[in-house]
Amino acid sequence: MSHKKILLNFERNGTSHTLESYLKRGGYQTIAEKIPALSPAEVLEEVKKSAIRGRGGAGFPAGIKWSFLPKDNDKPVYLICNGDEGEPGTFKDRVILEENPHMLIEGMILASYAIRAKHAYIYIRGEYGFALERVKAAVKEAYETGYLGKPLKGTDFVCEITVHKGAGAYVVGDETGLMNSIEGKKGQTRNKPPFPAIEGLYKCPTIINNVETLASVPWIIANGGDAYHKIGTEKSSGTKLLSVSGHVRKPGVYEVELGYSFMDFLNNEAGGIIDGKKLKAVIPGGSSTPVLKPEDIKDMTIDYESITAAGSSLGSGAVIVIAEGTCMVKLLEILTHFYQHESCGQCTPCREGTGWLHRIVRRIEEGNGKMEDLDLLTSITKHIAFHTICPLGDAACGPVDSFVKKFRKEFEEHIKQGGCPYSGKFVRFQEKV
């Protein structure tokens, strides 16, 4: 199937990040041609018509989110682009940051104009050093050519953008932790309410969107919200970037229209399973989303509703493919270690509970587990999920509950045999493609 390309509509030849390349493919035309004729309210209305849902994981409609800003506000309004892409398996925003940063900047200018934010921030994950340099260079070019720092054509609106580097903590992917980080505070999350749209950065109204979401805005304004809504399905409009990793022949980042068959994507774009092996499991939306078995996904399509109906979530679009021969207990041990390591320690259920989850899974993998450990794991998750300030605790529980539920026999086999029947095998990249 040929998919419409909105975000990856360029030749990936190593020069696509420059202003010259972006202008040659029609970049910044919405600033020059559309903005003089559109009011901020009209830009917002087009985004609402598009029905684009936030691409960071929550899937909340972006236009509705922008509408939550108070109407009688006399404080500054801020826009933040969340580029703290830290979910294991997720690397789709990095392609935009490194190879198409001007599309993101153009989207942020349009979004800032719509919500009347004169100052915007791009928050980039601390480990993304190359992306940081690419975005900084692009912002510099945008200032030098007047897209930033000067009134937009036909208006008195001026947009300023500051690039902010994170310090490498998963928890600041949460929007309130991210705001604390920008303010120079410890990157821990805040209680909600108040929500950022009411009281966010520096106690002012703030809108936070994902990189992919904001980079889609120029196409929406150039072609109209209705045109975007016609792509994909009725409730899941547009295209989606998927980062595919694990036991596939062609891992990478792909842009597909929402509503596309998952199995067609796996076998065509991702090239199928390596070494001719059978599919054992799929994590469809990043490590925090519940794992699925082959029978769960045979009729599944890539959109919010279908993946939810299958028992998981589209999340960030990070597809992790797992082939036969992989030990699911070892895989869960790795995931629980990640969440224990990344817990900021602010909430007791998360700080203590993620450590308990990891230690129990590890002892099962090492052959020291007990049968009652399986029920203990699911009991612990019930005391973590929805009892913490941020979603990290919930994120840690999703894989634990689903792994134990769907692969319980494999856990029991470890306990009965007093060790791992797979010799602790997780990754076996044997095929050279």
Side-chain angles (χ1 to χ4, degrees):
M1 175 179 173
S2 176
H3 294 273
K4 189 164 193 63
K5 302 300 181 187
I6 291 175
L7 299 161
L8 301 183
N9 60 347
F10 55 89
E11 184 180 356
R12 301 177 70 177
N13 57 9
T15 64
S16 59
H17 61 286
T18 64
L19 178 62
E20 179 183 5
S21 173
Y22 189 60
L23 292 175
K24 284 181 179 177
R25 53 182 193 268
Y28 289 112
Q29 284 187 1
T30 60
I31 304 297
E33 299 175 4
K34 296 288 184 177
I35 286 300
L38 291 175
S39 69
E42 289 170 326
V43 173
L44 171 58
E45 188 58 29
E46 291 302 320
V47 175
K48 291 172 73 173
K49 285 181 183 176
S50 76
I52 183 173
R53 296 166 68 166
R55 303 303 199 217
F60 192 81
I64 301 298
K65 189 175 190 178
W66 295 5
S67 301
F68 288 159
L69 289 169
K71 301 294 186 292
D72 56 350
N73 169 63
D74 59 357
K75 295 180 178 179
V77 175
Y78 293 106
L79 172 72
I80 300 176
C81 171
N82 187 347
D84 191 74
E85 189 174 49
E87 176 99 344
T90 308
F91 47 91
K92 48 98 178 173
D93 287 341
R94 193 174 74 179
V95 173
I96 297 174
L97 295 170
E98 293 182 355
E99 301 183 41
N100 202 9
H102 280 288
M103 184 176 238
L104 171 63
I105 294 169
E106 185 177 0
M108 292 184 67
I109 294 172
L110 293 167
S112 297
Y113 178 70
I115 65 174
R116 297 177 173 82
K118 296 181 179 178
H119 203 130
Y121 291 82
I122 306 176
Y123 190 100
I124 298 178
R125 180 185 179 190
E127 292 88 343
Y128 278 6
F130 185 60
L132 178 71
E133 295 307 314
R134 280 280 174 90
V135 172
K136 279 184 174 179
V139 168
K140 184 173 182 289
E141 286 182 315
Y143 269 108
E144 290 172 348
T145 47
Y147 294 113
L148 294 172
K150 293 183 179 178
L152 300 184
K153 182 180 178 182
T155 78
D156 60 356
F157 179 78
V158 178
C159 182
E160 309 278 356
I161 289 182
T162 298
V163 182
H164 189 103
K165 179 186 175 185
Y170 174 71
V171 73
V172 297
D174 177 271
E175 54 190 20
T176 60
L178 187 154
M179 291 188 296
N180 275 347
S181 177
I182 290 177
E183 291 179 4
K185 302 172 182 173
K186 187 184 293 185
Q188 293 182 323
T189 54
R190 306 175 186 174
N191 277 309
K192 293 185 283 189
F195 291 94
I198 305 300
E199 185 177 299
L201 188 66
Y202 304 120
K203 296 187 178 296
C204 295
T206 303
I207 293 297
I208 304 174
N209 284 128
N210 171 260
V211 172
E212 184 183 348
T213 310
L214 290 167
S216 300
V217 175
W219 194 96
I220 293 170
I221 300 306
N223 297 276
D226 289 336
Y228 189 88
H229 199 179
K230 290 178 181 176
I231 304 168
T233 71
E234 175 62 25
K235 294 183 178 178
S236 296
S237 62
T239 64
K240 180 78 187 78
L241 293 182
L242 302 176
S243 54
V244 188
S245 61
H247 301 145
V248 292
R249 301 186 75 240
K250 297 191 293 183
V253 176
Y254 299 90
E255 182 175 14
V256 302
E257 295 177 21
L258 288 167
Y260 184 44
S261 162
F262 185 88
M263 290 307 299
D264 285 348
F265 171 75
L266 178 61
N267 292 320
N268 298 331
E269 278 78 3
I273 311 297
I274 62 169
D275 290 341
K277 293 182 178 300
K278 292 182 179 177
L279 177 66
K280 182 172 185 177
V282 167
I283 302 175
S287 65
S288 63
T289 60
V291 67
L292 298 175
K293 300 181 80 169
E295 55 266 35
D296 299 323
I297 63 174
K298 58 184 174 63
D299 297 321
M300 187 175 79
T301 52
I302 301 171
D303 56 73
Y304 296 95
E305 290 71 33
S306 181
I307 299 180
T308 299
S312 190
S313 168
L314 178 58
S316 61
V319 180
I320 303 173
V321 179
I322 303 157
E324 61 177 348
T326 301
C327 176
M328 300 303 285
V329 180
K330 182 64 179 178
L331 177 51
L332 184 60
E333 181 196 343
I334 293 169
L335 294 179
T336 53
H337 176 262
F338 170 80
Y339 287 106
Q340 178 198 17
H341 177 74
E342 293 296 335
S343 174
C344 75
Q346 184 176 200
C347 305
T348 302
C350 177
R351 182 184 64 239
E352 301 299 325
T354 54
W356 293 348
L357 293 175
H358 175 58
R359 286 194 292 275
I360 293 170
V361 174
R362 185 176 61 188
R363 77 184 181 210
I364 294 173
E365 171 62 15
E366 292 175 346
N368 301 312
K370 308 169 188 173
M371 262 327 157
E372 52 264 39
D373 283 343
L374 301 183
D375 290 335
L376 180 58
L377 283 172
T378 54
S379 173
I380 292 172
T381 62
K382 289 183 173 56
H383 291 85
I384 300 175
F386 308 111
H387 292 88
T388 56
I389 295 174
C390 83
L392 190 147
D394 304 349
C397 296
V400 172
D401 286 337
S402 62
F403 271 62
V404 172
K405 179 181 179 182
K406 292 187 178 292
F407 295 94
R408 190 179 182 95
K409 287 185 178 178
E410 197 165 314
F411 283 78
E412 292 175 348
E413 195 176 356
H414 278 70
I415 296 169
K416 290 176 181 175
Q417 293 189 15
C420 180
Y422 297 90
S423 301
K425 289 176 181 175
F426 166 52
V427 179
R428 298 196 302 177
F429 293 105
Q430 297 177 347
E431 179 180 346
K432 293 183 179 179
V433 180

